[in-house]
Amino acid sequence: MNPLITWVRTQWVPFDLSNETRHQMGSNDLKAEDHLELAVLAHMHRLTQGAGSLWTSRRILLTQMVERWYQSLKQAHRSYRNVLEKPSVYPSEVQVILHYHTYFQHLGQTVLYYLQDHYDQTSYRDMRPFTTVVYDRMPKDWFNVEALPNGHIPLNHPEQWTIDLPVRDLAGWVKHRLEDRGYGVSEWSPQGSDELEADRLFEAIRSYHALRPLTPKEGPYFYALLVFPEAYIERVGDLSHTLAEDPSVLPRLLEQEKRRGRIIGRLRRLVEALYHHDIEPITWFESS
C-alpha cells in the first residue's frame, strides 16, 4: 500500500461537526454539506501538517507545475498540428485552437511566471513545514459524508493524495463551486451576480480559515491555483464537438472567462483583507 495512505490512516482521529465547530466556523449562508466539507479539509490539514518531512527529496507540487504544464502542452500541440495542417477537414477544431487554446496557453504561461516571481528555492524550504496531505487533482466525489458517523476517513480516492500546501485543496474546492454555478472553464451561465458569487465563496474561505488559519505565504499560491487553467486541455475535444453544433458557444465561453476573472479578482481583494497581506494581481486576467 502507498505509505502516504498508511500514514494518514494512523494520524486520523474520529471527527464530527459539533456545535462548537459550527460556531467557530461562523454563521453564514453556507449549506450544511459545505460546512462538513470545509471542516473535514481543515481537520485533515491540521492532522497532517509537516507531511513534507516524510520525503525530504520529494518536491511539493508547487515546484512541479512548470514541467506538468509543458508536458500537457506538448501533448496538445501534437494533436493540434494535425488539425492545423488540414483546416478544411477540422473547421471547428481550428476555431478552438486559434481562440480558446491560444488564450488559455497564454494564461497558463502567465501563472507560471507569476509563481516564479513570488517563490524561489528559499521559499520552498521555508514552506515545507506547512505542507500537508492534499489531493493532486481534487475529484468531484472526493467527500464521503456517510463515513463520518462511523469515525472513518471521509475521503474518497486516497490514491490521488500527495504533499503540497493545503490551499491546493481549498482552491480545488472553490473551483468546484464555480463550476457548479456555471463559472467553469468550459461552462456557460449568463445569470447570477458575480459580486454575490465572490462574497459567497469568501464566506467559505473564512469558514475554513477559522479552523485552519491561512498564512500570508499561501496567498499568492492560492490565487495562482484559482487562475491556473489546469483542466482546459482535457476539455478542448469536447468543446470542438459542441462548437460544431452551436457556433455561438465560443464567444460566450470567452465572455464567461471574463466573468470568472472578475470573481477571482474580487476574491483576491477579500482574501487580502483576511490575510492583512497584499496579493499581487494578474491584472490583464482580472480586467480582460
Side-chain angles (χ1 to χ4, degrees):
M1 180 177 289
N2 185 323
L4 186 58
I5 298 175
T6 302
W7 181 72
V8 171
R9 287 176 175 168
T10 65
Q11 301 296 109
W12 191 263
V13 294
F15 169 79
D16 65 345
L17 193 58
S18 64
N19 291 331
E20 180 181 355
T21 304
R22 288 181 183 274
H23 177 74
Q24 190 176 1
M25 294 181 78
S27 58
N28 49 44
D29 62 351
L30 290 178
K31 298 177 182 177
E33 186 176 351
D34 292 337
H35 275 290
L36 280 169
E37 291 180 354
L38 292 164
V40 166
L41 281 178
H43 185 60
M44 181 179 74
H45 296 156
R46 285 191 314 227
L47 289 175
T48 62
Q49 182 166 327
S53 62
L54 295 176
W55 292 279
T56 55
S57 62
R58 181 175 181 145
R59 293 173 299 163
I60 59 176
L61 289 182
L62 169 60
T63 65
Q64 297 176 354
M65 287 180 71
V66 175
E67 68 180 60
R68 289 178 59 169
W69 177 248
Y70 283 115
Q71 287 173 357
S72 297
L73 287 184
K74 284 175 65 176
Q75 180 181 357
H77 289 159
R78 284 196 297 269
S79 301
Y80 299 159
R81 188 182 304 114
N82 296 330
V83 171
L84 294 176
E85 288 174 352
K86 302 175 182 179
S88 60
V89 179
Y90 306 102
S92 299
E93 286 81 352
V94 168
Q95 290 297 312
V96 171
I97 293 170
L98 293 180
H99 297 282
Y100 191 77
H101 170 71
T102 303
Y103 169 81
F104 284 103
Q105 179 176 330
H106 178 54
L107 180 59
Q109 190 77 50
T110 301
V111 172
L112 296 185
Y113 288 144
Y114 181 91
L115 287 173
Q116 290 172 2
D117 288 343
H118 288 81
Y119 299 103
D120 54 24
Q121 291 298 327
T122 302
S123 300
Y124 303 153
R125 290 193 297 271
D126 291 345
M127 290 187 295
R128 186 171 290 278
F130 300 101
T131 57
T132 68
V133 172
V134 300
Y135 279 103
D136 186 355
R137 294 186 180 183
M138 180 183 281
K140 275 282 188 178
D141 59 341
W142 65 274
F143 180 63
N144 179 12
V145 66
E146 296 178 358
L148 273 177
N150 301 320
H152 297 153
I153 301 179
L155 302 166
N156 296 325
H157 310 290
E159 70 278 0
Q160 293 183 228
W161 288 345
T162 188
I163 296 172
D164 200 359
L165 292 177
V167 286
R168 184 172 190 88
D169 279 342
L170 186 58
W173 190 94
V174 170
K175 280 187 169 184
H176 285 332
R177 286 299 176 272
L178 282 173
E179 290 171 359
D180 291 343
R181 297 284 295 169
Y183 291 92
V185 170
S186 63
E187 305 288 343
W188 168 253
S189 173
Q191 300 179 357
S193 165
D194 298 343
E195 185 172 312
L196 181 62
E197 189 64 32
D199 292 348
R200 184 182 294 114
L201 290 171
F202 178 63
E203 285 301 311
I205 295 169
R206 280 187 18 171
S207 294
Y208 174 92
H209 176 82
L211 297 177
R212 207 287 299 179
L214 303 166
T215 66
K217 288 185 177 180
E218 293 177 284
Y221 189 36
F222 177 62
Y223 175 69
L225 287 168
L226 288 179
V227 177
F228 192 58
E230 186 171 12
Y232 91 93
I233 290 177
E234 301 168 4
R235 299 175 178 177
V236 166
D238 293 337
L239 178 58
S240 298
H241 295 301
T242 303
L243 187 62
E245 299 175 0
D246 181 7
S248 66
V249 71
L250 188 60
R252 294 207 311 266
L253 286 171
L254 294 177
E255 178 60 31
Q256 184 72 341
E257 181 64 9
K258 294 179 183 179
R259 298 184 65 193
R260 191 173 78 94
R262 289 193 291 268
I263 289 175
I264 293 176
R266 179 168 175 80
L267 267 180
R268 176 188 58 79
R269 293 188 294 273
L270 292 170
V271 172
E272 277 185 329
L274 181 65
Y275 285 126
H276 302 293
H277 179 76
D278 291 341
I279 302 174
E280 183 183 356
I282 298 176
T283 308
W284 69 263
F285 166 75
E286 294 188 10
S287 61
S288 61

